[in-house]
Amino acid sequence: MKSNKTPTLKKYLILVACMIVVFTACKKEATVDNDSSECQDFTWAEGIFNDATSMMDEAAITNNLTLYDTISHDSTVSPCCMIHRQNTNNSDPDTIIIDFGPSDCFCADNKYRRGQIIAIYNPPFYIDSLNVITLSFNNYYVNDNLVQGTKTITNLGRNPIGQYQYSSVVNGSITNTNNQTMTFKSNENKLWTVGDTALVWYNDVYQITGSSSGTAFNGIAFTDSITTPLTIEGSCHFIVSGNLSLTPAGKSARTVDFGSGSCDANMTVTISGKNYLVGMH
């Protein structure tokens, strides 16, 4: 009598081989590195601390944060914000407080803010060359995200062609609505390249160079370096151009391209040769 064990064994081996192939394919697919969350967290933090600087600059120069409403430009904040000055004499540092109040203040960039941004600087003028301005935050929230830490800005005067230069050091953190905290440290230089008047934010264009590091909301540490200057326009709430390289711990470097000048919330993140169109926070 002929045994049929051999066909059965062949079928079994074929089945096992197929399962191995499927498992290997699934494993490869599962380990594809396409996570851009650290890049998004970087843009969120960079934007938060740059916005604080822009608002304080305008408040210091104009004592106003709705300067452009009268000519149909969008302002940074709405009238629910108050500006307080403590500059009774020139013998000690002066203080400016931007106070959004204890309740959410809806701003023209479609963000809700509450709490205070505080600037301390040396008298008599905020924009004095070599002046050091320290920004801090008191119960300051943006869209219910708690912002903490300091930003120290040093006015380096003008370069040979008359452009204002600043150094900027951030040591801060942001805690989101899920009670996750990201840390953010940056050491950057800012160059004023276009504008009618320095520190009148709507007309100004800045280029930013430097590097930063931190821990993203997912708990993964990262470092980054700006490879092509990041361009920030006062009339836009996003980075409009420039490139950087960001490396999360244990992952390959990501190349981030912010475009060629359009004001939009998109950036292209390249990971292992593949491009991903990603929205900025």
Side-chain angles (χ1 to χ4, degrees), residues 34-110:
N34 59 6
D35 184 9
S36 60
S37 59
E38 297 88 5
C39 301
Q40 291 176 295
D41 291 350
F42 163 83
T43 61
W44 176 233
E46 186 78 14
I48 287 283
F49 289 102
N50 281 333
D51 284 346
T53 306
S54 294
M55 289 185 287
M56 186 58 70
D57 289 348
E58 188 183 1
I61 300 304
T62 69
N63 203 36
N64 199 323
L65 288 178
T66 56
L67 179 63
Y68 300 102
D69 281 348
T70 56
I71 52 176
S72 300
H73 291 157
D74 65 334
S75 61
T76 302
V77 300
S78 63
C80 53
C81 174
M82 300 292 292
I83 299 170
H84 309 288
R85 291 177 177 268
Q86 300 170 3
N87 55 349
T88 55
N89 60 68
N90 291 338
S91 64
D92 58 7
D94 289 346
T95 302
I96 300 174
I97 301 173
I98 300 176
D99 190 351
F100 294 94
S103 302
D104 278 337
C105 178
F106 184 65
C107 304
D109 58 356
N110 296 318

Side-chain angles (χ1 to χ4, degrees), residues 210-230:
S211 60
S212 63
S213 63
T215 303
F217 288 122
N218 59 14
I220 295 176
F222 67 87
T223 59
D224 73 78
S225 178
I226 297 172
T227 54
T228 304
L230 306 183

Side-chain angles (χ1 to χ4, degrees), residues 11-213:
K11 290 180 181 179
Y12 175 78
L13 293 175
I14 291 172
L15 178 61
V16 170
C18 290
M19 291 176 66
I20 291 173
V21 170
V22 171
F23 176 79
T24 303
C26 290
K27 187 175 181 181
K28 286 183 179 179
E29 183 177 353
T31 57
V32 170
D33 182 9
N34 59 6
D35 184 9
S36 60
S37 59
E38 297 88 5
C39 301
Q40 291 176 295
D41 291 350
F42 163 83
T43 61
W44 176 233
E46 186 78 14
I48 287 283
F49 289 102
N50 281 333
D51 284 346
T53 306
S54 294
M55 289 185 287
M56 186 58 70
D57 289 348
E58 188 183 1
I61 300 304
T62 69
N63 203 36
N64 199 323
L65 288 178
T66 56
L67 179 63
Y68 300 102
D69 281 348
T70 56
I71 52 176
S72 300
H73 291 157
D74 65 334
S75 61
T76 302
V77 300
S78 63
C80 53
C81 174
M82 300 292 292
I83 299 170
H84 309 288
R85 291 177 177 268
Q86 300 170 3
N87 55 349
T88 55
N89 60 68
N90 291 338
S91 64
D92 58 7
D94 289 346
T95 302
I96 300 174
I97 301 173
I98 300 176
D99 190 351
F100 294 94
S103 302
D104 278 337
C105 178
F106 184 65
C107 304
D109 58 356
N110 296 318
K111 292 184 175 72
Y112 289 92
R113 292 179 172 89
R114 65 182 185 271
Q116 298 175 331
I117 305 172
I118 302 166
I120 298 176
Y121 64 98
N122 295 322
F125 300 115
Y126 178 92
I127 60 172
D128 276 351
S129 179
L130 300 182
N131 208 347
V132 177
I133 302 163
T134 301
L135 299 184
S136 60
F137 307 93
N138 179 27
N139 291 321
Y140 178 58
Y141 289 81
V142 181
N143 288 345
D144 290 325
N145 297 276
L146 175 63
V147 181
Q148 296 176 295
T150 59
K151 181 173 185 177
T152 304
I153 305 155
T154 303
N155 185 335
L156 301 177
R158 294 176 182 257
N159 66 11
I161 61 174
Q163 297 169 320
Y164 281 95
Q165 306 171 98
Y166 307 88
S167 71
S168 168
V169 177
V170 173
N171 187 356
S173 67
I174 301 172
T175 302
N176 66 18
T177 55
N178 294 322
N179 204 33
Q180 298 169 309
T181 298
M182 77 164 290
T183 61
F184 185 68
K185 294 183 178 182
S186 68
N187 192 336
E188 298 176 340
N189 289 308
K190 186 166 76 169
L191 179 67
W192 174 64
T193 59
V194 177
D196 296 334
T197 307
L199 303 179
V200 178
W201 70 272
Y202 186 88
N203 295 312
D204 290 350
V205 177
Y206 291 96
Q207 288 187 341
I208 294 177
T209 56
S211 60
S212 63
S213 63

